[in-house]
Amino acid sequence: GDTITIADYLLERLTQLGVTQLFGVPGDFNLGFLDYVESHSKVEWVGNCNELNAAYAADGYARVKEGSIGALLTTFGVGELSATNGIAGAFSEHVPVLHIAGVPSTSQQKSKPMLHHTLGDGRFDAYYKASQQFTISQASLTDAASAGAEIDRVLTDCVVSARPVYLMLPTDLVHEKIPAKRLRTPLNREPPANDPESEEFVLDEIMKLVGQADEDIIILVDACAGRHNVKAELAELVRKTGFPVYAAPMGKSVVPETYERYGGIYVGSISRPEVREKVENAKLILSIGGLKSDFNTGNFTYHIPVQRTIELHSDHTRIQFAAYHGIGMKHLLPKLTARLQPLHEGARQLVVPKFDAPVPTEDNQIISQAWLWPRVAQFFRSNDVIVTETGTSSFGMLDVPLPDGAVYVSQILWGSIGWTVGSTLGAALAARELGLGRTLLFVGDGSIQLTVQELSTMIRLGVKPIIFLLNNSGYTIERYLHGYNAHYNDISNWRWTSLLSTLGGVEGTNCQSHIVKTKDELDALLKNEAFAKADKIQLVEMIMEKHDAPKGLKVQAELSGKTNKG
Amino acid sequence: GDTITIADYLLERLTQLGVTQLFGVPGDFNLGFLDYVESHSKVEWVGNCNELNAAYAADGYARVKEGSIGALLTTFGVGELSATNGIAGAFSEHVPVLHIAGVPSTSQQKSKPMLHHTLGDGRFDAYYKASQQFTISQASLTDAASAGAEIDRVLTDCVVSARPVYLMLPTDLVHEKIPAKRLRTPLNREPPANDPESEEFVLDEIMKLVGQADEDIIILVDACAGRHNVKAELAELVRKTGFPVYAAPMGKSVVPETYERYGGIYVGSISRPEVREKVENAKLILSIGGLKSDFNTGNFTYHIPVQRTIELHSDHTRIQFAAYHGIGMKHLLPKLTARLQPLHEGARQLVVPKFDAPVPTEDNQIISQAWLWPRVAQFFRSNDVIVTETGTSSFGMLDVPLPDGAVYVSQILWGSIGWTVGSTLGAALAARELGLGRTLLFVGDGSIQLTVQELSTMIRLGVKPIIFLLNNSGYTIERYLHGYNAHYNDISNWRWTSLLSTLGGVEGTNCQSHIVKTKDELDALLKNEAFAKADKIQLVEMIMEKHDAPKGLKVQAELSGKTNKG
Ligand SMILES: Cc1ncc(C[n+]2csc(CCOP(=O)(O)OP(=O)(O)O)c2C)c(N)n1
Ligand SMILES: Cc1ncc(C[n+]2csc(CCOP(=O)(O)OP(=O)(O)O)c2C)c(N)n1
Ligand SMILES: [Mg+2]
Ligand SMILES: [Mg+2]
């Protein structure tokens, strides 16, 4: 038709962006909108157990469904504020998430009655104001005339900047009709073009440094290469130039870790010595999408002089000490590749250390951190989606290479524990839709307690992740940071193997729980085909030592313990 | 000693305010402080499963431990933001809660490195700014010199205004020493004195209206009478004047519901007819601590002309249309009581309808809403703490009188579901300390899913609430508001009776689960002495009808459904 309700307009725009699932929790200020969702043919409603988990799910969905966005719907005040941490995390980690809050009608927002879910003092804009701290763009819909343009504005900002945005959707406006015409013009999804003259200048400057580098150039892949939708451009650069490639922790698996010219993870002084040597001694480092946070840099221990660094970012470029604002990598990369391609022959001569992680032989049956990660790495298959929680898991996984096409999901800058449980739901739904492999979650006994209820949503929706639960009697990562034996790092032990059946699963039918206490038991389970084919949701409780941690974590903890004191 | 660390200074102040439990979740920016907590002899650390639950627990603790405050400790960004909804709820509902966020050191806050838990863009003040929307007062400690005064300032604001406050505690400052001398002066806990001249004027004005009222005066007790620490003053007023007393939903049990001159709940057009008649026809209504939110007023259906109303608030007084700012009820009440006392004889003549709720006879075994509430009311004992969740529970409980000394805990203005689970933890700890009765929670199957993990903290700490779980296949309250049969109001059904044992309990030893499907089964359980003595944590799953709701909810839903559309 010529007109469309605002609700359907929004749902159409989401559909155009590839959104097939809307996460959230109902509430009386969004129920009217939910009727439109329920009748919509493309967007499916995923009711979550709580709003924080919903935000995490939208984040995980967006990470796996590259080029699309995550979307969540909450209710005024109580719902939206519960999602705050999830939204702030998406901001911090450059994840495009649309947060729709169902809010009181436009007339109520003017007359300001003391409604439930208000602060009781007539401030109807308080949640909006808080959201400004954590989203890149906000819209409070106030009338039908501007609604379409406002929706388009925030959605465009969301996609283009890969950051969360906030939309207030009043109960009355969802039903209002607006012209459908705008929908015929798809939203812009590309970052703005670079100014040709500056871009040319930047390329020339880069080539000057390249010329001086005797082909001793390496590529360092980081977070924003994955988040700002330049994987294809990067793959071209890597393939056509043949330069050695390394990744920061947040860039893990953006370039497949099986690639023969890939050398593994560079994380400052925590890196494997052979990687550190190659990266820090290269004449020129081409950093793609760098994000130099403490845990992503071995606590700021990069030993790479700025003089030898070129940084490509989503919206600017840095060459040595100079910043070129507005020159973004999406458009720059293909041109740079074209210029660098001739160096291919020389570049191929550079030796790249092999990234492998043999399973160590230990003469005991303890499931040690040193043994676990290489062992599970052998279990991985191409296109698996691998999610690791902040804690020993996110550190441990850094040390092992992931197979071809594997998607790696972790939250190294924001580091909010519990995030993986929600995130795995979103990731698994996206993976199912995209036809990826299994979804494998590695999560600590401490972290899972924050958001555990979302397992029930996985069961309800029939996604089938394998949840590897590291039962090491509490907050091991924190023990290394502070309070090695302190009580505040202890937690209650749960009956983990009855979790799935308590939360709605039927053991043996649509869920399966396992407990492993020894290397042999875990080994046997990983070799079991019925287990590995992951045809139901599974939880594996792994009994581990309280005071065991991956080596990288031990070093990091020492370094950051010092920092926190200063 | 002459000096004291800032950490211990804060803990001493909390102790002076009667705080014995600190809720929260550890994180590397608060671990240093936690060492001081762990060695402190008076303040005990309660590690929660997540930060939202911790905020809810602090809120529940503060509600039951009148005159004290609740306190929670979180870590920078990820932790504190997870608590946002809980803090905003405490603001909305006038609950004094101190939120301490462990934050990076003062030098890091200046140099702004890209630490984990930051937004990655150098804004170290973003969380502080967000907190300004939801707390009455904030302090960001920056040096030892001002720390003591800053801590005192926010704590005083917290107690005096009965609202949450926010304190940023940097990792380095916790260890800094400051003079201990300030601690010898206890914090002011009283609201400021009323200006004597205006107060006298106000009393005269009130007495003029009283004089015209022919002794046909009623007292209407509301939320802020409970929250702003005037229970004793109010009890005097009630006892010495003998005026009939009614309560708004948020004022329930502030005056004991067994009091012979108490007539029950007034909630506008939803009230029982005899209550409505008495309240709306009284010549003068003395409203104490009124908070006229939608769900507290039968959706704004008070039929009481302003001309007949006197409102006493914590910081102002209203007489008909006139507002007297700065004249607060804490100091005004005793003087008003003195003036009104002579009316006692006449006041006693006014008839007060009896508030009782006989158990209806129904010729079926369904545990109906109409039957449930009167039936459980018979189970209550004096000094029980009764917590009800938003949903059918908070509406149902309004219809039945609570016994002497019962403490009623609910969240009618903010209405964030899941709140009761955390809140019950805090309430039960406070009740145990104060020697109150049992803690009884009534919560829906939908609501408990948001925050369920906190049951494990109850088990660990050995508090023994009875959790009455209304299993009515989803969001019944919402079905009445919108979407009677909509899928978005369905939830997954859990194996509720294995919840406690999954979350760390040992069935039959320190926990007990029950399921009741009929009136007879519930009746038998309630009569069972072993059950009633509540010597372990218990969960009672009650199978109820999806489309059954208390009458008050049905009417309210109709009214507010209309409002949401406008
Ligand atoms: C929301 C949130 N609260 C608190 C923290 C602080 N924190 C970081 S790691 C951690 C412990 C994680 O423990 P666990 O999941 O058991 O991991 P492991 O034992 O494997 O290290 C905590 C409490 C956080 N990062 N996020
Ligand atoms: C944090 C939060 N999210 C969403 C809502 C919207 N909401 C209000 S009541 C309710 C359903 C409660 O269902 P249940 O606990 O089962 O209660 P009952 O069935 O007894 O009505 C929901 C989702 C809310 N109030 N708070
Ligand atoms: Mg652990
Ligand atoms: Mg229910």
Side-chain angles (χ1 to χ4, degrees), chain A residues 137-160:
Chain A
S137 191
Q138 308 82 30
S140 169
L141 300 189
T142 51
D143 54 53
S146 62
E150 283 292 279
I151 290 171
D152 290 358
R153 176 176 63 79
V154 294
L155 281 176
T156 305
D157 288 347
C158 182
V159 184
V160 171

Side-chain angles (χ1 to χ4, degrees), chain A residues 35 50 82 85 92 107-108 116-118 171 294 413-414 449-450 453 482 488 495 501-502 563-564 566, chain B residues 35 50 82 85 92 107-108 114 116-118 171 294 413-414 449-450 453 482 488 495 501-502 563-564 566:
Chain A
D35 287 340
N50 69 38
S82 292
N85 172 17
S92 169
S107 65
Q108 287 173 326
H116 60 290
H117 307 341
T118 68
T171 49
D294 50 0
L413 171 54
W414 190 244
Q449 294 194 347
L450 282 84
Q453 48 274 85
H482 195 100
Y488 52 71
R495 197 146 56 88
S501 62
T502 298
T563 318
N564 285 350
Chain B
D35 287 341
N50 69 39
S82 292
N85 172 17
S92 168
S107 64
Q108 288 173 327
M114 199 190 287
H116 60 290
H117 306 342
T118 68
T171 49
D294 50 1
L413 171 54
W414 190 243
Q449 294 196 345
L450 281 84
Q453 49 273 87
H482 195 99
Y488 52 70
R495 196 145 57 88
S501 62
T502 298
T563 317
N564 284 349

Side-chain angles (χ1 to χ4, degrees), chain A residues 25-28 51 75 78-79 82 117, chain B residues 85 390-393 415-417 444-447 450 470 472 474-478:
Chain A
V25 179
D28 56 345
E51 289 85 358
T75 197
V78 293
S82 292
H117 307 341
Chain B
N85 172 17
T390 296
T392 58
S393 303
S416 181
I417 61 169
D445 52 349
S447 299
L450 281 84
L470 287 76
N472 55 7
Y475 301 148
T476 295
I477 184 174
E478 291 205 345

Side-chain angles (χ1 to χ4, degrees), chain A residues 215 342-350:
Chain A
E215 285 162 355
L343 282 73
H344 188 265
E345 269 322 298
R348 305 277 321 173
Q349 309 312 313
L350 295 169

Side-chain angles (χ1 to χ4, degrees), chain A residues 68-85:
Chain A
S68 184
I69 67 170
L72 96 141
L73 175 70
T74 61
T75 197
F76 192 51
V78 293
E80 54 182 311
L81 296 183
S82 292
T84 309
N85 172 17

